[in-house]
Amino acid sequence: MKFAVLKRFVQVAGVLKKHQVLHLLFELNPSDGWGARLARRVMPRTNHQDMAQEAHSLRTALEELGPIFIKLGQVLSTRPDVLPAVYVDELSHLQDRITPVPTAEIRAIIEAQLGQSVDEVFSQFENDNVATASVAQVHRATVKSGAWAGREVAVKVLRPDIDDLIKTDIECMYAAARYFAKKHIDGKRLKPVEVVAQVERHLHQELDLQCESANASQLRHNMRNSTLISVPEVCWDYCTRRVMVMEWMTGVPVSHTDTLREMSVDFKRLARDGVEVFFTQVFRDGFFHADMHPGNVFIGTTGVQCGHYIALDCGIVGTLSETDRYYLAINFLAFFNRDYQGVAKAHIESGWVPADTPLEALTSTVRTVCEPYFGRPISEISLGQVLMRLFDVSREFNVSVQPQLVLLQKTLLNVEGMGRVLDPDLDLWQTAKPFLEKWMRDTLGIKGVVRQIKRELPFIARHLPQMPRNFLSYIQQQTELNDYPSRIQRLELRLLHQENKFNRWRLYVIGIFLVFISVCVAFYM
């Protein structure tokens, strides 16, 4: 183990000890060695009355440890199969709080990246930051010249020396994940190494602001015809790996409900719009904003964005294949219709559970978990609780965690949280069901078939002239395949004939040899 990694482990232990949550490492430690057993016995155990305070202390410790541990906590907040519900709920509120970088350093980074002084690029640059996080911070400015001259922009700049810190922390997490996967009884099913790899991918996206710029541009293009949400335009002339310049958007965080009430915003409409935006991005596009906490979702206060969503910080996006989208839609629709056998079948057909899983047993389990929550308002439902119960029973069926769905699960929990704030009576199921039914009709109906044919036209056009030759080759191959039995039979007869011929020659040679021996014996006698 590298010295830097070992040193970081010691620092992590020190921070956890300061916040009185170090014993959690030993409680989660699956080892039966004498050291681990002694530590679990000596360290204080947690009772249910202390869990809420302990969860809060854990969140505070992760925030102090820095960006990689904050991201780990955010991912764990989507994993009720790993942590109790009280921890999941607390970690879902993790925010990137950190001391801002001095403006002089920010200016130096901008000038190094753009090759110009800040005053040459911007006619106005505010030294006070408008937002700060563990990875980057944002300043407000006005572009001086070019196509964007006079436009107000947000300038996002990565913090200095962030790469080295994250590299060391990633190595620490991989070491811990490999140990967990090897020693823990559920190590293979929970896929800890894959979870860390997912965190690493997210961080690499966030550490390349050109990647975030591309994500924002793609999301803006996908939602260009929507009046429900806006995504800031990217100023590509001033975007590099460590600097991103984008359109300035005026709004207030979605969590500032008092301000929104003063604006006479229709909360019920806003809640329904949020559900539609989410399902549109997931199922229509397969490309969705995957970091939709209140700090990244604003409500516009001016112009066409007034009263509608504004999506910021597109560093983390999720993508789903057509197969994943299809099986997700099948699962959702089956659940909305209380078709729990349909849910079980979709899980088996998609490979999310082993193919030999008993259908009736899985159906009964899904029904037991989901039925108590059906039809109740969102104020009485926590998807975290539903997921926790599903994961609790998943061990019975060896359900494998799907890494590609972790971001979707996290985003769905974010949508639930926003819906609960805006409209406690929102029925998430009934709001989403018509959209999913329409998507299924458009995907599997005539429109979907025609759209699929149009998508495949270049492939068809390229291979159509070769189809007659390929067809004749196929016929020839089939003819040869059909002729194989008769050819094999002829070869077998030929081999039998050769074998008989060889046997006859062998008899002739033996006979001649015997005659020769007889003659020699008679001659010498």
Side-chain angles (χ1 to χ4, degrees), residues 3-295:
F3 175 75
V5 175
L6 182 60
K7 180 181 177 181
R8 183 57 171 163
F9 270 127
V10 173
Q11 292 174 343
V12 170
V15 173
L16 295 178
K17 181 180 179 182
K18 183 178 76 172
H19 292 278
Q20 300 181 348
V21 290
L22 180 60
H23 63 280
L24 288 177
L25 289 181
F26 297 99
E27 290 182 4
L28 293 173
N29 188 352
S31 174
D32 287 328
W34 69 267
R37 285 188 280 111
L38 178 62
R40 284 195 291 266
R41 183 177 295 273
V42 172
M43 288 287 180
R45 306 307 294 268
T46 303
N47 56 45
H48 291 288
Q49 288 75 23
D50 298 330
M51 266 193 171
Q53 179 59 41
E54 187 175 77
H56 176 75
S57 299
L58 177 61
R59 176 170 69 88
T60 306
L62 293 177
E63 288 176 347
E64 182 176 337
L65 286 169
I68 186 68
F69 288 92
I70 290 173
K71 294 301 175 188
L72 174 63
Q74 290 173 345
V75 170
L76 287 176
S77 71
T78 69
R79 297 291 303 275
D81 57 327
V82 177
L83 294 175
V86 64
Y87 290 93
V88 169
D89 183 63
E90 183 67 34
L91 293 181
S92 67
H93 300 298
L94 269 173
Q95 301 294 326
D96 297 350
R97 304 172 190 168
I98 200 165
T99 304
V101 177
T103 305
E105 294 186 38
I106 293 295
R107 283 176 170 267
I109 294 173
I110 294 174
E111 292 174 355
Q113 290 287 304
L114 300 183
Q116 304 177 64
S117 69
V118 171
D119 294 333
E120 288 177 327
V121 179
F122 305 109
S123 59
Q124 181 182 359
F125 186 88
E126 295 185 4
N127 291 328
D128 294 333
N129 68 82
V130 294
T132 181
S134 56
V135 172
Q137 68 184 47
V138 180
H139 291 256
R140 188 172 184 173
T142 303
V143 178
K144 190 172 186 178
S145 60
W148 281 60
R151 292 184 64 175
E152 282 193 308
V153 294
V155 184
K156 186 172 184 177
V157 184
L158 286 183
R159 301 175 68 89
D161 304 323
I162 191 68
D163 304 81
D164 293 337
L165 175 62
I166 284 181
K167 181 180 179 181
T168 301
D169 283 349
I170 283 290
E171 291 180 4
C172 292
M173 291 178 59
Y174 269 120
R178 285 191 289 268
Y179 177 80
F180 185 90
K182 183 178 179 180
K183 297 293 186 178
H184 202 279
I185 188 173
D186 284 330
K188 183 178 179 180
R189 186 181 66 84
L190 298 179
K191 301 182 179 179
V193 176
E194 287 84 348
V195 171
V196 174
Q198 186 179 44
V199 174
E200 183 181 20
R201 286 195 299 272
H202 299 166
L203 283 167
H204 283 169
Q205 287 182 348
E206 290 193 276
L207 292 176
D208 185 349
L209 294 184
Q210 283 189 316
C211 179
E212 179 177 339
S213 301
N215 292 340
S217 183
Q218 179 68 56
L219 196 62
R220 177 182 172 86
H221 173 75
N222 290 347
M223 305 304 294
R224 64 191 181 279
N225 296 322
S226 175
T227 60
L228 307 181
I229 188 170
S230 299
V231 181
E233 183 181 0
V234 175
C235 180
W236 284 105
D237 293 339
Y238 302 118
C239 285
T240 67
R241 182 179 176 274
R242 304 188 71 87
V243 176
M244 176 182 178
V245 178
M246 70 196 103
E247 174 187 6
W248 179 265
M249 308 292 278
T250 304
V252 296
V254 68
S255 57
H256 292 187
T257 54
D258 292 339
T259 304
L260 296 178
R261 287 192 182 92
E262 293 175 3
M263 295 169 51
S264 301
V265 172
D266 186 346
F267 281 15
K268 292 183 179 295
R269 176 191 58 78
L270 204 60
R272 292 193 301 272
D273 289 350
V275 175
E276 182 175 344
V277 167
F278 168 72
F279 281 96
T280 298
Q281 291 180 5
V282 169
F283 290 100
R284 188 194 68 185
D285 305 324
F287 186 89
F288 59 94
H289 191 303
D291 198 15
M292 295 180 64
H293 62 74

